[in-house]
Amino acid sequence: MKVTVVSRSGREVIKGGIELKDSATVSDLQDAIHARTKKYYPSRQRLTLPLPPRTQGKPVVLNPKKRLTEYCDGDANNLTVVLKDLGMQVSYSTLFFWEYLGPLIIFPIFYYFPVYEFLGYEGERVIHPVQTYAMYYWCFHYFKRIMETFFVHRFSHATSPLSNVFRNCAYYWTFGAYIAYYVNHPLYTPVGDLQMKIGFGFGLICQVLNFYCHLLLRNLRSTDGSGGYQIPQGFLFNIVTCANYTTEIYQWLGFNIATQTVAGYVFLVVAALIMTNWALAKHRRLKKIFDGKEGRPKYPRRWVILPPFF
């Protein structure tokens, strides 16, 4: 069969098209495009069917595992696909590693090194126990996130745009420095001993629960990240759609109860808003997929992220 590859403007990307076997898959087509144009490696390609003239809506995205003949309409010997360049890509493990590495390094720098002397503070710095525990808590959290990235998480998409590395690093690294500056500041006033213990204790419990939620989510996908959408079940997922976000928010609440800084609470609010937006989108998607029709299970009634509010 012959496949014509065009851009979104209709310009032919591969002159003369590509000849493939009738049994070829979309993945085979991606490899063939890469062989003809080295710039467009498979993870950089997004292949869709062209929309009919004067038609609005989202185009059909080609599944790499399906045969090309499944997308042919009438003429099984010819197919036209639209190629969108997704830009330079990096693996999700690379993306997460760099965004988490920054905070993991930045916080100890403010704790161990004479940063405040370079910033003009001349008095003697006294390190309070809560600052030491905060440093251990913080480093444990981001070390855990890096380990989960490489040994727990299974990603449905292999890659992410390179630009996301800079965006995510700017977010995590900036907030890391912002919080570290105030928690480790020589003029920092610690909370009471009981409040510190309650905050860190509650936060550590939530970190462990968060890890368990990630293990449950991991089991929903096969080793190659496939498996499609499934209804999360077990533990907190029986009452909350995004229990992993719930425990993530609460673990930072515990950190802020123990450290009590404006910077920490600003980060908590921003992170909660971002995760709530993700959770609402996932909740709507799961309810749409599992609608109880044509033999599909019906998505059970659950809170989205933060009982009893959402």
PDB file of all heavy atoms in Angstrom, residues 264-295:
ATOM      1  N   GLY A 264       6.189  28.109  52.218  1.00  0.00           N
ATOM      2  CA  GLY A 264       5.709  26.733  52.160  1.00  0.00           C
ATOM      3  C   GLY A 264       4.232  26.651  51.846  1.00  0.00           C
ATOM      4  O   GLY A 264       3.799  25.794  51.065  1.00  0.00           O
ATOM      5  N   TYR A 265       3.448  27.549  52.437  1.00  0.00           N
ATOM      6  CA  TYR A 265       2.007  27.526  52.179  1.00  0.00           C
ATOM      7  C   TYR A 265       1.678  28.018  50.772  1.00  0.00           C
ATOM      8  O   TYR A 265       0.704  27.566  50.168  1.00  0.00           O
ATOM      9  CB  TYR A 265       1.270  28.352  53.230  1.00  0.00           C
ATOM     10  CG  TYR A 265       1.049  27.598  54.517  1.00  0.00           C
ATOM     11  CD1 TYR A 265       1.749  27.918  55.676  1.00  0.00           C
ATOM     12  CD2 TYR A 265       0.143  26.540  54.575  1.00  0.00           C
ATOM     13  CE1 TYR A 265       1.546  27.225  56.857  1.00  0.00           C
ATOM     14  CE2 TYR A 265      -0.060  25.825  55.754  1.00  0.00           C
ATOM     15  CZ  TYR A 265       0.644  26.168  56.890  1.00  0.00           C
ATOM     16  OH  TYR A 265       0.450  25.467  58.044  1.00  0.00           O
ATOM     17  N   VAL A 266       2.465  28.949  50.243  1.00  0.00           N
ATOM     18  CA  VAL A 266       2.265  29.382  48.858  1.00  0.00           C
ATOM     19  C   VAL A 266       2.474  28.200  47.916  1.00  0.00           C
ATOM     20  O   VAL A 266       1.679  27.963  46.987  1.00  0.00           O
ATOM     21  CB  VAL A 266       3.219  30.538  48.495  1.00  0.00           C
ATOM     22  CG1 VAL A 266       3.193  30.811  46.991  1.00  0.00           C
ATOM     23  CG2 VAL A 266       2.849  31.800  49.257  1.00  0.00           C
ATOM     24  N   PHE A 267       3.548  27.442  48.170  1.00  0.00           N
ATOM     25  CA  PHE A 267       3.823  26.254  47.354  1.00  0.00           C
ATOM     26  C   PHE A 267       2.687  25.243  47.480  1.00  0.00           C
ATOM     27  O   PHE A 267       2.258  24.640  46.479  1.00  0.00           O
ATOM     28  CB  PHE A 267       5.138  25.619  47.792  1.00  0.00           C
ATOM     29  CG  PHE A 267       5.462  24.322  47.103  1.00  0.00           C
ATOM     30  CD1 PHE A 267       5.692  24.279  45.738  1.00  0.00           C
ATOM     31  CD2 PHE A 267       5.526  23.131  47.818  1.00  0.00           C
ATOM     32  CE1 PHE A 267       5.986  23.085  45.092  1.00  0.00           C
ATOM     33  CE2 PHE A 267       5.819  21.936  47.191  1.00  0.00           C
ATOM     34  CZ  PHE A 267       6.048  21.912  45.815  1.00  0.00           C
ATOM     35  N   LEU A 268       2.171  25.055  48.688  1.00  0.00           N
ATOM     36  CA  LEU A 268       1.083  24.107  48.915  1.00  0.00           C
ATOM     37  C   LEU A 268      -0.154  24.499  48.120  1.00  0.00           C
ATOM     38  O   LEU A 268      -0.786  23.652  47.464  1.00  0.00           O
ATOM     39  CB  LEU A 268       0.749  24.045  50.408  1.00  0.00           C
ATOM     40  CG  LEU A 268      -0.486  23.224  50.794  1.00  0.00           C
ATOM     41  CD1 LEU A 268      -0.297  21.757  50.418  1.00  0.00           C
ATOM     42  CD2 LEU A 268      -0.780  23.365  52.284  1.00  0.00           C
ATOM     43  N   VAL A 269      -0.510  25.785  48.142  1.00  0.00           N
ATOM     44  CA  VAL A 269      -1.705  26.255  47.432  1.00  0.00           C
ATOM     45  C   VAL A 269      -1.535  26.095  45.921  1.00  0.00           C
ATOM     46  O   VAL A 269      -2.437  25.597  45.231  1.00  0.00           O
ATOM     47  CB  VAL A 269      -2.006  27.718  47.789  1.00  0.00           C
ATOM     48  CG1 VAL A 269      -3.096  28.281  46.880  1.00  0.00           C
ATOM     49  CG2 VAL A 269      -2.430  27.837  49.249  1.00  0.00           C
ATOM     50  N   VAL A 270      -0.377  26.508  45.406  1.00  0.00           N
ATOM     51  CA  VAL A 270      -0.130  26.398  43.961  1.00  0.00           C
ATOM     52  C   VAL A 270      -0.153  24.938  43.522  1.00  0.00           C
ATOM     53  O   VAL A 270      -0.788  24.579  42.520  1.00  0.00           O
ATOM     54  CB  VAL A 270       1.212  27.058  43.587  1.00  0.00           C
ATOM     55  CG1 VAL A 270       1.550  26.791  42.122  1.00  0.00           C
ATOM     56  CG2 VAL A 270       1.162  28.553  43.844  1.00  0.00           C
ATOM     57  N   ALA A 271       0.544  24.082  44.271  1.00  0.00           N
ATOM     58  CA  ALA A 271       0.586  22.656  43.927  1.00  0.00           C
ATOM     59  C   ALA A 271      -0.808  22.033  44.002  1.00  0.00           C
ATOM     60  O   ALA A 271      -1.181  21.219  43.145  1.00  0.00           O
ATOM     61  CB  ALA A 271       1.548  21.919  44.853  1.00  0.00           C
ATOM     62  N   ALA A 272      -1.591  22.404  45.021  1.00  0.00           N
ATOM     63  CA  ALA A 272      -2.942  21.851  45.175  1.00  0.00           C
ATOM     64  C   ALA A 272      -3.837  22.270  44.010  1.00  0.00           C
ATOM     65  O   ALA A 272      -4.636  21.468  43.514  1.00  0.00           O
ATOM     66  CB  ALA A 272      -3.549  22.305  46.499  1.00  0.00           C
ATOM     67  N   LEU A 273      -3.694  23.511  43.554  1.00  0.00           N
ATOM     68  CA  LEU A 273      -4.490  23.979  42.424  1.00  0.00           C
ATOM     69  C   LEU A 273      -4.133  23.215  41.148  1.00  0.00           C
ATOM     70  O   LEU A 273      -5.009  22.833  40.365  1.00  0.00           O
ATOM     71  CB  LEU A 273      -4.286  25.480  42.220  1.00  0.00           C
ATOM     72  CG  LEU A 273      -4.895  26.394  43.287  1.00  0.00           C
ATOM     73  CD1 LEU A 273      -4.484  27.843  43.040  1.00  0.00           C
ATOM     74  CD2 LEU A 273      -6.414  26.264  43.307  1.00  0.00           C
ATOM     75  N   ILE A 274      -2.834  23.007  40.934  1.00  0.00           N
ATOM     76  CA  ILE A 274      -2.384  22.273  39.741  1.00  0.00           C
ATOM     77  C   ILE A 274      -2.897  20.833  39.778  1.00  0.00           C
ATOM     78  O   ILE A 274      -3.453  20.328  38.788  1.00  0.00           O
ATOM     79  CB  ILE A 274      -0.849  22.291  39.645  1.00  0.00           C
ATOM     80  CG1 ILE A 274      -0.353  23.712  39.363  1.00  0.00           C
ATOM     81  CG2 ILE A 274      -0.367  21.333  38.553  1.00  0.00           C
ATOM     82  CD1 ILE A 274       1.155  23.848  39.414  1.00  0.00           C
ATOM     83  N   MET A 275      -2.735  20.167  40.915  1.00  0.00           N
ATOM     84  CA  MET A 275      -3.158  18.777  41.019  1.00  0.00           C
ATOM     85  C   MET A 275      -4.676  18.641  40.970  1.00  0.00           C
ATOM     86  O   MET A 275      -5.201  17.643  40.455  1.00  0.00           O
ATOM     87  CB  MET A 275      -2.594  18.145  42.295  1.00  0.00           C
ATOM     88  CG  MET A 275      -1.109  17.813  42.191  1.00  0.00           C
ATOM     89  SD  MET A 275      -0.446  16.939  43.624  1.00  0.00           S
ATOM     90  CE  MET A 275      -0.148  18.318  44.732  1.00  0.00           C
ATOM     91  N   THR A 276      -5.391  19.623  41.489  1.00  0.00           N
ATOM     92  CA  THR A 276      -6.851  19.594  41.407  1.00  0.00           C
ATOM     93  C   THR A 276      -7.304  19.674  39.957  1.00  0.00           C
ATOM     94  O   THR A 276      -8.229  18.968  39.540  1.00  0.00           O
ATOM     95  CB  THR A 276      -7.459  20.755  42.208  1.00  0.00           C
ATOM     96  OG1 THR A 276      -7.105  20.620  43.596  1.00  0.00           O
ATOM     97  CG2 THR A 276      -8.979  20.763  42.086  1.00  0.00           C
ATOM     98  N   ASN A 277      -6.648  20.510  39.174  1.00  0.00           N
ATOM     99  CA  ASN A 277      -6.967  20.613  37.752  1.00  0.00           C
ATOM    100  C   ASN A 277      -6.716  19.283  37.037  1.00  0.00           C
ATOM    101  O   ASN A 277      -7.536  18.831  36.227  1.00  0.00           O
ATOM    102  CB  ASN A 277      -6.126  21.719  37.122  1.00  0.00           C
ATOM    103  CG  ASN A 277      -6.501  21.974  35.679  1.00  0.00           C
ATOM    104  OD1 ASN A 277      -7.665  22.133  35.342  1.00  0.00           O
ATOM    105  ND2 ASN A 277      -5.503  22.021  34.807  1.00  0.00           N
ATOM    106  N   TRP A 278      -5.573  18.634  37.352  1.00  0.00           N
ATOM    107  CA  TRP A 278      -5.282  17.318  36.773  1.00  0.00           C
ATOM    108  C   TRP A 278      -6.330  16.294  37.201  1.00  0.00           C
ATOM    109  O   TRP A 278      -6.783  15.480  36.394  1.00  0.00           O
ATOM    110  CB  TRP A 278      -3.905  16.845  37.216  1.00  0.00           C
ATOM    111  CG  TRP A 278      -2.761  17.636  36.667  1.00  0.00           C
ATOM    112  CD1 TRP A 278      -2.775  18.481  35.606  1.00  0.00           C
ATOM    113  CD2 TRP A 278      -1.417  17.628  37.165  1.00  0.00           C
ATOM    114  NE1 TRP A 278      -1.522  19.021  35.416  1.00  0.00           N
ATOM    115  CE2 TRP A 278      -0.669  18.512  36.347  1.00  0.00           C
ATOM    116  CE3 TRP A 278      -0.771  16.980  38.219  1.00  0.00           C
ATOM    117  CZ2 TRP A 278       0.686  18.757  36.552  1.00  0.00           C
ATOM    118  CZ3 TRP A 278       0.581  17.215  38.430  1.00  0.00           C
ATOM    119  CH2 TRP A 278       1.311  18.092  37.600  1.00  0.00           C
ATOM    120  N   ALA A 279      -6.692  16.333  38.482  1.00  0.00           N
ATOM    121  CA  ALA A 279      -7.632  15.350  39.024  1.00  0.00           C
ATOM    122  C   ALA A 279      -9.015  15.501  38.392  1.00  0.00           C
ATOM    123  O   ALA A 279      -9.669  14.507  38.061  1.00  0.00           O
ATOM    124  CB  ALA A 279      -7.730  15.506  40.542  1.00  0.00           C
ATOM    125  N   LEU A 280      -9.471  16.736  38.215  1.00  0.00           N
ATOM    126  CA  LEU A 280     -10.777  16.957  37.592  1.00  0.00           C
ATOM    127  C   LEU A 280     -10.797  16.431  36.165  1.00  0.00           C
ATOM    128  O   LEU A 280     -11.777  15.822  35.732  1.00  0.00           O
ATOM    129  CB  LEU A 280     -11.104  18.456  37.619  1.00  0.00           C
ATOM    130  CG  LEU A 280     -11.448  19.042  38.994  1.00  0.00           C
ATOM    131  CD1 LEU A 280     -11.504  20.567  38.919  1.00  0.00           C
ATOM    132  CD2 LEU A 280     -12.779  18.491  39.507  1.00  0.00           C
ATOM    133  N   ALA A 281      -9.696  16.682  35.425  1.00  0.00           N
ATOM    134  CA  ALA A 281      -9.609  16.197  34.044  1.00  0.00           C
ATOM    135  C   ALA A 281      -9.630  14.670  34.006  1.00  0.00           C
ATOM    136  O   ALA A 281     -10.315  14.060  33.169  1.00  0.00           O
ATOM    137  CB  ALA A 281      -8.351  16.736  33.383  1.00  0.00           C
ATOM    138  N   LYS A 282      -8.893  14.033  34.902  1.00  0.00           N
ATOM    139  CA  LYS A 282      -8.854  12.571  34.932  1.00  0.00           C
ATOM    140  C   LYS A 282     -10.206  12.006  35.338  1.00  0.00           C
ATOM    141  O   LYS A 282     -10.667  11.002  34.787  1.00  0.00           O
ATOM    142  CB  LYS A 282      -7.769  12.089  35.888  1.00  0.00           C
ATOM    143  CG  LYS A 282      -7.622  10.573  35.920  1.00  0.00           C
ATOM    144  CD  LYS A 282      -6.445  10.131  36.766  1.00  0.00           C
ATOM    145  CE  LYS A 282      -6.282   8.613  36.725  1.00  0.00           C
ATOM    146  NZ  LYS A 282      -5.121   8.161  37.522  1.00  0.00           N
ATOM    147  N   HIS A 283     -10.851  12.647  36.301  1.00  0.00           N
ATOM    148  CA  HIS A 283     -12.157  12.184  36.772  1.00  0.00           C
ATOM    149  C   HIS A 283     -13.183  12.237  35.645  1.00  0.00           C
ATOM    150  O   HIS A 283     -13.945  11.285  35.435  1.00  0.00           O
ATOM    151  CB  HIS A 283     -12.612  13.060  37.949  1.00  0.00           C
ATOM    152  CG  HIS A 283     -13.833  12.557  38.648  1.00  0.00           C
ATOM    153  ND1 HIS A 283     -13.809  11.492  39.516  1.00  0.00           N
ATOM    154  CD2 HIS A 283     -15.131  12.981  38.616  1.00  0.00           C
ATOM    155  CE1 HIS A 283     -15.019  11.270  39.999  1.00  0.00           C
ATOM    156  NE2 HIS A 283     -15.843  12.162  39.457  1.00  0.00           N
ATOM    157  N   ARG A 284     -13.196  13.353  34.899  1.00  0.00           N
ATOM    158  CA  ARG A 284     -14.127  13.483  33.769  1.00  0.00           C
ATOM    159  C   ARG A 284     -13.834  12.436  32.701  1.00  0.00           C
ATOM    160  O   ARG A 284     -14.756  11.852  32.112  1.00  0.00           O
ATOM    161  CB  ARG A 284     -14.031  14.892  33.182  1.00  0.00           C
ATOM    162  CG  ARG A 284     -14.632  15.982  34.043  1.00  0.00           C
ATOM    163  CD  ARG A 284     -14.753  17.277  33.254  1.00  0.00           C
ATOM    164  NE  ARG A 284     -13.444  17.800  32.879  1.00  0.00           N
ATOM    165  CZ  ARG A 284     -12.766  18.700  33.588  1.00  0.00           C
ATOM    166  NH1 ARG A 284     -13.277  19.168  34.722  1.00  0.00           N
ATOM    167  NH2 ARG A 284     -11.600  19.143  33.168  1.00  0.00           N
ATOM    168  N   ARG A 285     -12.537  12.201  32.438  1.00  0.00           N
ATOM    169  CA  ARG A 285     -12.145  11.237  31.409  1.00  0.00           C
ATOM    170  C   ARG A 285     -12.591   9.822  31.785  1.00  0.00           C
ATOM    171  O   ARG A 285     -13.129   9.084  30.948  1.00  0.00           O
ATOM    172  CB  ARG A 285     -10.638  11.302  31.196  1.00  0.00           C
ATOM    173  CG  ARG A 285     -10.128  10.441  30.065  1.00  0.00           C
ATOM    174  CD  ARG A 285      -8.727  10.850  29.668  1.00  0.00           C
ATOM    175  NE  ARG A 285      -7.795  10.805  30.770  1.00  0.00           N
ATOM    176  CZ  ARG A 285      -7.196  11.873  31.297  1.00  0.00           C
ATOM    177  NH1 ARG A 285      -7.425  13.073  30.811  1.00  0.00           N
ATOM    178  NH2 ARG A 285      -6.354  11.750  32.311  1.00  0.00           N
ATOM    179  N   LEU A 286     -12.379   9.438  33.031  1.00  0.00           N
ATOM    180  CA  LEU A 286     -12.754   8.091  33.468  1.00  0.00           C
ATOM    181  C   LEU A 286     -14.268   7.908  33.455  1.00  0.00           C
ATOM    182  O   LEU A 286     -14.778   6.841  33.092  1.00  0.00           O
ATOM    183  CB  LEU A 286     -12.191   7.821  34.864  1.00  0.00           C
ATOM    184  CG  LEU A 286     -10.669   7.638  34.948  1.00  0.00           C
ATOM    185  CD1 LEU A 286     -10.209   7.560  36.391  1.00  0.00           C
ATOM    186  CD2 LEU A 286     -10.229   6.394  34.187  1.00  0.00           C
ATOM    187  N   LYS A 287     -15.015   8.947  33.852  1.00  0.00           N
ATOM    188  CA  LYS A 287     -16.477   8.858  33.833  1.00  0.00           C
ATOM    189  C   LYS A 287     -16.997   8.755  32.403  1.00  0.00           C
ATOM    190  O   LYS A 287     -17.998   8.079  32.149  1.00  0.00           O
ATOM    191  CB  LYS A 287     -17.081  10.083  34.524  1.00  0.00           C
ATOM    192  CG  LYS A 287     -16.926  10.084  36.044  1.00  0.00           C
ATOM    193  CD  LYS A 287     -17.621  11.260  36.674  1.00  0.00           C
ATOM    194  CE  LYS A 287     -19.128  11.171  36.510  1.00  0.00           C
ATOM    195  NZ  LYS A 287     -19.826  12.286  37.192  1.00  0.00           N
ATOM    196  N   LYS A 288     -16.313   9.416  31.476  1.00  0.00           N
ATOM    197  CA  LYS A 288     -16.728   9.362  30.072  1.00  0.00           C
ATOM    198  C   LYS A 288     -16.445   7.993  29.468  1.00  0.00           C
ATOM    199  O   LYS A 288     -17.267   7.446  28.712  1.00  0.00           O
ATOM    200  CB  LYS A 288     -16.006  10.449  29.280  1.00  0.00           C
ATOM    201  CG  LYS A 288     -16.407  10.509  27.814  1.00  0.00           C
ATOM    202  CD  LYS A 288     -15.678  11.630  27.096  1.00  0.00           C
ATOM    203  CE  LYS A 288     -16.066  11.684  25.621  1.00  0.00           C
ATOM    204  NZ  LYS A 288     -15.350  12.793  24.905  1.00  0.00           N
ATOM    205  N   ILE A 289     -15.265   7.427  29.807  1.00  0.00           N
ATOM    206  CA  ILE A 289     -14.895   6.119  29.246  1.00  0.00           C
ATOM    207  C   ILE A 289     -15.751   5.014  29.852  1.00  0.00           C
ATOM    208  O   ILE A 289     -16.291   4.162  29.139  1.00  0.00           O
ATOM    209  CB  ILE A 289     -13.400   5.836  29.497  1.00  0.00           C
ATOM    210  CG1 ILE A 289     -12.536   6.831  28.712  1.00  0.00           C
ATOM    211  CG2 ILE A 289     -13.052   4.410  29.111  1.00  0.00           C
ATOM    212  CD1 ILE A 289     -11.066   6.734  29.035  1.00  0.00           C
ATOM    213  N   PHE A 290     -15.895   5.027  31.168  1.00  0.00           N
ATOM    214  CA  PHE A 290     -16.649   3.984  31.861  1.00  0.00           C
ATOM    215  C   PHE A 290     -18.058   4.510  32.160  1.00  0.00           C
ATOM    216  O   PHE A 290     -18.375   4.880  33.298  1.00  0.00           O
ATOM    217  CB  PHE A 290     -15.916   3.557  33.133  1.00  0.00           C
ATOM    218  CG  PHE A 290     -14.534   3.031  32.865  1.00  0.00           C
ATOM    219  CD1 PHE A 290     -13.410   3.815  33.125  1.00  0.00           C
ATOM    220  CD2 PHE A 290     -14.341   1.765  32.338  1.00  0.00           C
ATOM    221  CE1 PHE A 290     -12.132   3.336  32.871  1.00  0.00           C
ATOM    222  CE2 PHE A 290     -13.071   1.275  32.081  1.00  0.00           C
ATOM    223  CZ  PHE A 290     -11.959   2.071  32.341  1.00  0.00           C
ATOM    224  N   ASP A 291     -18.884   4.521  31.095  1.00  0.00           N
ATOM    225  CA  ASP A 291     -20.217   5.107  31.188  1.00  0.00           C
ATOM    226  C   ASP A 291     -21.317   4.076  31.418  1.00  0.00           C
ATOM    227  O   ASP A 291     -22.501   4.421  31.464  1.00  0.00           O
ATOM    228  CB  ASP A 291     -20.529   5.895  29.910  1.00  0.00           C
ATOM    229  CG  ASP A 291     -20.334   5.044  28.642  1.00  0.00           C
ATOM    230  OD1 ASP A 291     -20.119   3.815  28.766  1.00  0.00           O
ATOM    231  OD2 ASP A 291     -20.377   5.619  27.547  1.00  0.00           O
ATOM    232  N   GLY A 292     -20.947   2.801  31.545  1.00  0.00           N
ATOM    233  CA  GLY A 292     -21.938   1.764  31.795  1.00  0.00           C
ATOM    234  C   GLY A 292     -22.708   1.313  30.572  1.00  0.00           C
ATOM    235  O   GLY A 292     -23.663   0.534  30.686  1.00  0.00           O
ATOM    236  N   LYS A 293     -22.313   1.772  29.392  1.00  0.00           N
ATOM    237  CA  LYS A 293     -23.015   1.433  28.165  1.00  0.00           C
ATOM    238  C   LYS A 293     -22.244   0.378  27.363  1.00  0.00           C
ATOM    239  O   LYS A 293     -21.026   0.299  27.463  1.00  0.00           O
ATOM    240  CB  LYS A 293     -23.226   2.680  27.303  1.00  0.00           C
ATOM    241  CG  LYS A 293     -24.036   3.771  27.995  1.00  0.00           C
ATOM    242  CD  LYS A 293     -24.133   5.009  27.110  1.00  0.00           C
ATOM    243  CE  LYS A 293     -24.919   6.121  27.814  1.00  0.00           C
ATOM    244  NZ  LYS A 293     -24.997   7.350  26.981  1.00  0.00           N
ATOM    245  N   GLU A 294     -22.972  -0.395  26.548  1.00  0.00           N
ATOM    246  CA  GLU A 294     -22.381  -1.386  25.650  1.00  0.00           C
ATOM    247  C   GLU A 294     -21.405  -2.322  26.363  1.00  0.00           C
ATOM    248  O   GLU A 294     -20.340  -2.650  25.861  1.00  0.00           O
ATOM    249  CB  GLU A 294     -21.677  -0.685  24.482  1.00  0.00           C
ATOM    250  CG  GLU A 294     -22.618   0.162  23.635  1.00  0.00           C
ATOM    251  CD  GLU A 294     -21.891   0.881  22.521  1.00  0.00           C
ATOM    252  OE1 GLU A 294     -20.643   0.768  22.459  1.00  0.00           O
ATOM    253  OE2 GLU A 294     -22.555   1.568  21.719  1.00  0.00           O
ATOM    254  N   GLY A 295     -21.779  -2.722  27.565  1.00  0.00           N
ATOM    255  CA  GLY A 295     -20.974  -3.683  28.313  1.00  0.00           C
ATOM    256  C   GLY A 295     -19.833  -3.086  29.116  1.00  0.00           C
ATOM    257  O   GLY A 295     -19.135  -3.807  29.830  1.00  0.00           O
TER     258      GLY A 295
END
